[in-house]
Amino acid sequence: MKQEINTMNYFHVTLPAESPCDYPIVVGADFHEILSHLPEGRVFTKCVIITDDTLKTLYGNTLLTHLQHAGQDAILFSVPAGEHSKNVATYQHLIQGLVEAGCERGCVILALGGGVVGDLAGFLAGTYLRGVPYVQMPTSLLAMVDSSVGGKTGINIPQGKNLIGMVHQPLLVLTDVALLKTLPPEHLINGLIEAIKVFLIADYDSLLFVEAELEGILSGDTRLLQDVVARALAIKIGVVSRDEKERGERALLNFGHTVGHALEKVSDYTVLHGIAVGYGILVEARIAQILGVLTVEHLQAIDAIMARLGLHGHFLQQYDISEVIAATKNDKKVRSGCVQYVILQSLGKALIENNRYVHPVSDTVVQQAYSECVGA
Ligand code: GLY
């Protein structure tokens, strides 16, 4: 599926089953070259850029000017940076903005930002006038390796993360890894953890690659970052193509997320999503080891790579375990009141048993895993 042309990587997502849909992903390292892939030949009644206040200055205004010079009727809305913008009030404010700007069904939304902007703008696109097209233009490593692809969109409510949302596939994904140059180092780690997650469940070779090249990746080496993005996307595209609506295999992409989402909630979203998933991986890998599925050696390898990223289990001692466990009860994988977890079998392989990709785990085991993590 992948072709290498100069410095660009091209991928294609093909969803044959329920949503006959096909869209390209372009991964490059030059903003203007990337912009040349925008569907300019297609006339949109309006191009609506959704971004955040920081990115508006960095890249949003350049994109707006580019579109206007290309003859498009383009406008831009920005929201405050951060997870708190993924809420009902911001969503409603943006919907009002689209109505007031006279956006019709022929418009296109351009989601220029990280996971927060992508999820919010994607949900806006999926629901405005019962659905308009949108382009994902991820600016964070987390959005590049994960959230910009696969069509998951949504917003948070006080009860939990992404509890309102839908699957709405983008028209196109345009990824420019050079944009990562302005990303704070913590956000590079944040995104890399989502890539490591995908490698842990499905790609041991890429896990070894990250271990070997970690310093270069964290120093922002563009070629290495492009490689990380391409490797993570190759896995993710395969999973999404086979199970767009998360009836089975796609749930594997939630490894580390059950505890991760709970940590985001109990920390009032002060812990970044990928970092929370990293701590979630530490706890959920321990669950697999306690259940006798994962070996101690593999657990130690996971602890070691997270430690190199600055994540240590004792960080978790500041949160009340019962509050964390209570927060997992709002996870979307709960069935008949029982929280279901992805269980890691080995480095690069998740447990799949009787066609089941997630498995019920008792609160006692989660509590033991959490406590062992704090003491590790
Ligand atoms: N971020 C997990 C998924 O797209 O399914």
Side-chain angles (χ1 to χ4, degrees):
M1 284 255 218
K2 188 182 121 185
Q3 284 171 275
E4 292 232 17
I5 302 175
N6 301 327
T7 56
M8 312 284 272
N9 295 95
Y10 296 85
F11 297 88
H12 233 88
V13 180
T14 306
L15 302 169
E18 293 168 66
S19 334
C21 147
D22 204 311
Y23 60 91
I25 303 172
V26 182
V27 182
D30 180 288
F31 197 46
H32 288 279
E33 197 175 346
I34 284 285
L35 291 184
S36 71
H37 291 266
L38 278 170
E40 281 166 5
R42 187 163 159 183
V43 181
F44 294 103
T45 53
K46 208 170 288 274
C47 292
V48 184
I49 302 165
I50 308 284
T51 192
D52 72 30
D53 295 342
T54 311
L55 292 163
K56 176 184 169 180
T57 321
L58 284 171
Y59 310 113
N61 291 329
T62 308
L63 176 60
L64 185 65
T65 311
H66 174 91
L67 291 167
Q68 287 167 341
H69 284 167
Q72 300 279 4
D73 180 2
I75 55 173
L76 181 150
F77 293 104
S78 75
V79 300
E83 189 73 31
H84 282 295
S85 282
K86 248 178 84 173
N87 62 19
V88 175
T90 309
Y91 165 73
Q92 193 174 357
H93 173 74
L94 290 171
I95 289 278
Q96 275 165 7
L98 296 184
V99 174
E100 283 162 16
C103 294
E104 302 167 352
R105 278 208 171 125
C107 75
V108 65
I109 288 176
L110 305 173
L112 177 72
V116 168
V117 166
D119 283 9
L120 176 66
F123 185 59
L124 191 70
T127 49
Y128 183 64
L129 304 179
R130 297 208 179 94
V132 296
Y134 74 114
V135 176
Q136 285 278 17
M137 301 186 68
T139 58
S140 72
L141 183 59
L142 184 136
M144 290 177 189
V145 299
D146 186 50
S147 59
S148 64
V149 171
K152 277 193 181 174
T153 74
I155 53 176
N156 306 331
I157 54 174
Q159 289 75 11
K161 197 172 151 98
N162 297 336
L163 293 188
I164 302 178
M166 67 187 305
V167 176
H168 181 51
Q169 299 295 343
L171 188 66
L172 168 72
V173 181
L174 293 179
T175 293
D176 173 10
V177 293
L179 300 190
L180 298 175
K181 284 194 185 349
T182 54
L183 202 66
E186 192 193 11
H187 284 256
L188 221 45
I189 293 174
N190 187 51
L192 186 60
I193 289 173
E194 281 284 7
I196 290 173
K197 170 213 73 182
V198 96
F199 301 150
L200 279 172
I201 57 159
D203 187 355
Y204 181 56
D205 282 350
S206 290
L207 188 66
L208 293 178
F209 162 79
V210 169
E211 283 182 332
E213 303 290 353
L214 194 61
E215 276 67 39
I217 294 167
L218 294 180
S219 75
D221 182 296
T222 304
R223 270 320 284 177
L224 289 174
L225 285 167
Q226 201 167 336
D227 208 347
V228 170
V229 172
R231 286 168 181 264
L233 287 181
I235 305 287
K236 174 145 191 186
I237 290 166
V239 173
V240 172
S241 305
R242 292 186 290 273
D243 178 25
E244 183 199 8
K245 297 282 160 65
E246 201 171 303
R247 304 235 159 79
E249 186 182 357
R250 187 164 181 177
L252 295 182
L253 298 176
N254 291 317
F255 178 52
H257 281 61
T258 310
V259 172
H261 281 167
L263 289 170
E264 284 186 272
K265 182 164 179 266
V266 300
S267 71
D268 193 24
Y269 298 100
T270 53
V271 181
L272 294 173
H273 174 69
I275 305 283
V277 167
Y279 287 111
I281 288 173
L282 289 179
V283 176
E284 294 183 22
R286 246 167 206 82
I287 290 175
Q289 191 263 319
I290 291 168
L291 295 177
V293 180
L294 188 71
T295 64
V296 172
E297 291 71 27
H298 284 194
L299 177 64
Q300 285 169 344
I302 294 170
D303 283 351
I305 189 158
M306 289 301 164
R308 287 176 73 193
L309 296 173
L311 274 68
H312 303 274
H314 59 73
F315 170 86
L316 296 174
Q317 71 192 1
Q318 64 190 295
Y319 303 113
D320 180 352
I321 170 71
S322 49
E323 255 185 68
V324 175
I325 289 183
T328 64
K329 307 286 177 190
N330 284 334
D331 189 85
K332 290 182 290 310
K333 295 180 295 303
V334 169
R335 293 290 174 276
S336 310
C338 189
V339 187
Q340 315 267 325
Y341 285 80
V342 176
I343 304 291
L344 201 65
Q345 187 167 356
S346 59
L347 300 178
K349 192 169 188 301
L351 179 70
I352 304 165
E353 217 172 40
N354 301 326
N355 250 348
R356 293 183 62 88
Y357 295 85
V358 287
H359 313 272
V361 176
S362 71
D363 289 352
T364 319
V365 170
V366 179
Q367 183 147 12
Q368 184 186 341
Y370 195 94
S371 306
E372 284 184 15
C373 245
V374 169

